[in-house]
Amino acid sequence: MSTAPVPGTAPSSVRVTHIGGPTTLLEFAGWRLLTDPTFDPAGRRYAFGWGTSSRKLAGPAIPAGEIGPIDAVLLTHDHHGDNLDEAGRALLPSAGTVITTVPGAARLGAGARGLSPWQSTTLEAPGRPSIEVTATPCRHGPPLSHPIVGDVVGFALRWDGQRHGVLWISGDTVLYGGVRHVAERLTVGLTLLHLGGVRFPVTGPLRYTMTARDAVDLLGTVRPHTAVPVHYEGWQHFQQPRATIEREFADAPPDVRDRIRWLPLGTPTDLET
């Protein structure tokens, strides 16, 4: 399957293609943005440090060679293989811009832009709306886990013509005060929620990303127009697959449940923001 640019997409509409794991292609108003590139085939085991590891169970719905030109990569963090693998890393030099964490930008070099939480940068190109990209807070594990898990950010994207609010990518995070601040500071139209309830045997019950119950809680606070689950399939350490998440969502209040939109892998879907 090849993915051609969509120059005519209206500024209030975004064509979202969920490629697998956290990886999505975002197309609107002539822009083509890619989140957390993971394009390795299934089968390999990846080490995440401190005795943690995981096997990739599914390859991408679209191979890296069929993605087409990319204007920018929004990389929540560069140091975990389920957010940037070898094939994804090989794609970075062909992208116009890479935006990530401050330590990640230093590691990647090549002009990558590093943002701390609530810092912003702007993507600009002739004939297209400028995009303000703001990093949002993440904590990729329990309290005091930062020395182990490292820096992670989410991203809020703002451009002229959005109808309901910013496009927010949560990033790999548990539910904590920093994430709740998004509701206080931003009006969210479309959100990509990193779920999966990540756990590792070596750390027992500790979670490293949001569970479905966390998502229900957060959505009740942030109240986006549309919420798209990502980062829930394709890896051994994702402990809550879609079926588990859907059971939790089924018991959510209607004003939360009705905001959730599942996307078929590899299929472009037009959504409002």
Side-chain angles (χ1 to χ4, degrees):
M1 175 181 177
S2 61
T3 320
V6 187
T9 307
S12 62
S13 177
V14 179
R15 183 161 295 176
V16 182
T17 307
H18 186 194
I19 295 168
T23 310
T24 61
L25 178 64
L26 308 174
E27 301 174 272
F28 58 93
W31 288 100
R32 305 186 84 242
L33 312 181
L34 188 67
T35 70
D36 287 351
T38 54
F39 290 97
D40 284 357
R44 176 178 164 184
R45 179 169 289 279
Y46 298 74
F48 297 135
W50 293 81
T52 61
S53 66
S54 181
R55 187 176 302 280
K56 190 171 187 180
L57 303 178
I62 303 172
E66 296 183 11
I67 289 296
I70 297 298
D71 297 301
V73 169
L74 305 174
L75 180 58
T76 65
H77 56 304
D78 70 304
H79 53 283
H80 290 158
D82 60 331
N83 295 83
L84 181 67
D85 58 20
E86 289 186 6
R89 194 175 293 269
L91 179 147
L92 296 183
S94 66
T97 303
V98 177
I99 304 175
T100 188
T101 64
V102 172
R107 285 188 291 264
L108 293 172
R113 304 185 195 179
L115 298 178
S116 296
W118 301 116
Q119 287 187 329
S120 299
T121 188
T122 303
L123 295 172
E124 296 179 301
R128 306 177 196 171
S130 297
I131 306 171
E132 181 187 65
V133 181
T134 301
T136 59
C138 290
R139 196 184 77 204
H140 196 3
L144 306 179
S145 63
H146 179 264
I148 299 173
V149 300
D151 284 45
V152 182
V153 292
F155 296 104
L157 279 58
R158 188 192 310 272
W159 63 89
D160 288 343
Q162 289 173 311
R163 182 174 302 170
H164 302 289
V166 302
L167 191 165
W168 179 44
I169 302 158
S170 74
D172 284 10
T173 185
V174 295
L175 182 59
Y176 79 115
V179 176
R180 293 186 188 278
H181 288 164
V182 171
E184 300 171 6
R185 300 183 62 155
L186 301 173
T187 299
V188 178
L190 171 63
T191 181
L192 307 183
L193 282 181
H194 290 217
L195 302 181
V198 166
R199 289 192 307 189
F200 297 97
V202 71
T203 54
L206 298 179
R207 298 281 186 179
Y208 295 86
T209 62
M210 284 188 287
T211 64
R213 184 167 298 180
D214 294 332
V216 170
D217 185 339
L218 183 62
L219 292 176
T221 303
V222 176
R223 302 184 67 80
H225 180 267
T226 305
V228 174
V230 299
H231 193 274
Y232 61 84
E233 47 65 49
W235 286 83
Q236 190 177 44
H237 63 304
F238 293 175
Q239 297 296 304
Q240 288 196 336
R242 176 170 174 171
T244 302
I245 297 169
E246 285 188 310
R247 285 196 294 271
E248 190 72 39
F249 284 172
D251 294 329
D255 65 334
V256 170
R257 187 174 62 241
D258 294 346
R259 300 171 192 270
I260 297 163
R261 179 77 179 269
W262 292 93
L263 302 187
L265 291 175
T267 301
T269 305
D270 290 337
L271 300 172
E272 286 191 356
T273 187

